Each structure stands twice: as C-alpha cells, then as structure tokens.
Amino acid sequence: MNQTVIKDLVDEALALNESLYLIELSISVNDKIKVVVDGDNGVPLSECIRISRNIDANLDRESEDFSLEVTTPDIAHPLKVKRQYIKNLNRILKVKTETEEFEGTLSDADEEKIVLQWKAREPKEIGKGKVTVQKTVTIAHTDIIEARVKIVF
C-alpha cells in the first residue's frame, strides 16, 4: 500500500467539506487502512461513508487486498491537531507538560498556544482560612506532551 496515494485520496475527499480535517492515517502491515477524521462541528456518518467510498473507489482491490476503516476520534484519546483545541473551547482539559500537569477550562486556543483557567483555594494573606482565586496558565503547543478532554457527567 502506498500511503502517499491514500493520503491524496483522503485530502481530495476532505476538500469537499472544509470543516473536516485529518487526525490520523495509518496502514498496518496486513494492509488495514485506518483514517481518523474530525470536524469543526462534528462528523456525520454520511461524511465518513463518503470519504470511505472515495478511497475505496480509487484503489484496485484486484491488485491489493485491504480493509478500510474511516472513523472519528474517540473522546478518550488525546488531542492531536491544533484545530481540535478550538473545537473544545470551554471544555475541561487535562494537560501534561514535561514538568507539570494542569486541569482547567480551555478558554482560548490559537496556532501557538492554549489558555486554561480554573479556580483554586489558597490560604489568605492575612488571617486564617482560605480564599478562592482564579488561576490562568498559557501553554505553548510545543510544550504539550498530552492533552485530553475530561469527561464530566
């Protein structure tokens, strides 16, 4: 299997709907093709079918035996593409960097960084007791080792 040919077919299918973008493309040793796509407003099943048909129709099953799976990312999997952060604004993220871990509401995201906010209880400067304070951290995409959306029920 030629990954470049398959990537071109995926890109061709995604070009018909600009709200969709590729998260992952993998081809296993036994020619199992897995395409993971996401969208700014979600991905309807009809779009997964359309992408799958575009790939399948342009590959020759007579010359190569393959299986094809077109799917959307699982909520439990980490965010991989910068566009996913924008889609998840105002959701709670768990973000790991090399030195720290943060959990907070994603309040801003762009091409270079993300901004998380959360509330924390800290001791008062004067007197006994604690006070609730708003915390904010800005993290560069290059510093993020892993980021996951926290599932809240």
Side-chain angles (χ1 to χ4, degrees), residues 125-143:
E125 287 185 29
I126 300 173
K128 295 181 180 181
K130 293 187 176 188
V131 62
T132 302
V133 295
Q134 182 74 30
K135 296 280 198 168
T136 301
V137 66
T138 301
I139 307 169
H141 283 291
T142 55
D143 294 339

Side-chain angles (χ1 to χ4, degrees), residues 55-74:
I55 297 166
D56 194 45
N58 289 292
L59 294 177
D60 184 11
R61 285 199 179 267
E62 296 298 321
S63 65
E64 292 193 70
D65 186 30
F66 64 90
S67 65
L68 175 62
E69 177 184 4
V70 178
T71 185
T72 58
D74 185 331

Side-chain angles (χ1 to χ4, degrees), residues 16-63:
L16 297 175
N17 185 341
E18 292 182 3
S19 72
L20 300 180
Y21 49 93
L22 181 66
I23 300 295
E24 181 181 340
L25 170 62
S26 62
I27 303 170
S28 70
V29 177
N30 57 350
D31 289 338
K32 179 179 181 191
I33 303 166
K34 183 175 182 180
V35 180
V36 182
V37 295
D38 204 352
D40 297 327
N41 303 309
V43 181
L45 179 60
S46 60
E47 287 295 303
C48 289
I49 293 168
R50 183 183 62 78
I51 294 165
S52 177
R53 286 182 179 159
N54 186 66
I55 297 166
D56 194 45
N58 289 292
L59 294 177
D60 184 11
R61 285 199 179 267
E62 296 298 321
S63 65

Side-chain angles (χ1 to χ4, degrees), residues 85-93 104-109 115-117 149-150 152:
Y85 290 93
I86 295 167
K87 176 184 176 181
N88 286 292
L89 283 173
N90 299 316
R91 286 194 167 159
I92 298 172
L93 295 187
T105 302
L106 180 63
S107 62
D108 191 22
V115 178
L116 295 179
Q117 294 182 333
V149 175
K150 183 175 179 187
V152 180

Side-chain angles (χ1 to χ4, degrees), residues 74-82 84-85 88 92-97 100-104 106 114 116 139-141 143-150:
D74 185 331
I75 190 74
H77 285 79
L79 303 180
K80 294 183 177 182
V81 178
K82 292 176 184 177
Q84 287 181 293
Y85 290 93
N88 286 292
I92 298 172
L93 295 187
K94 286 185 174 184
V95 179
K96 290 181 188 176
T97 65
E100 296 181 82
E101 289 188 28
F102 301 98
E103 183 175 314
L106 180 63
I114 65 169
L116 295 179
I139 307 169
H141 283 291
D143 294 339
I144 298 172
I145 292 174
E146 181 179 89
R148 294 179 184 263
V149 175
K150 183 175 179 187

Side-chain angles (χ1 to χ4, degrees), residues 4-19:
T4 306
V5 171
I6 295 166
K7 171 97 167 68
D8 290 343
L9 292 171
V10 171
D11 290 342
E12 178 183 293
L14 292 176
L16 297 175
N17 185 341
E18 292 182 3
S19 72

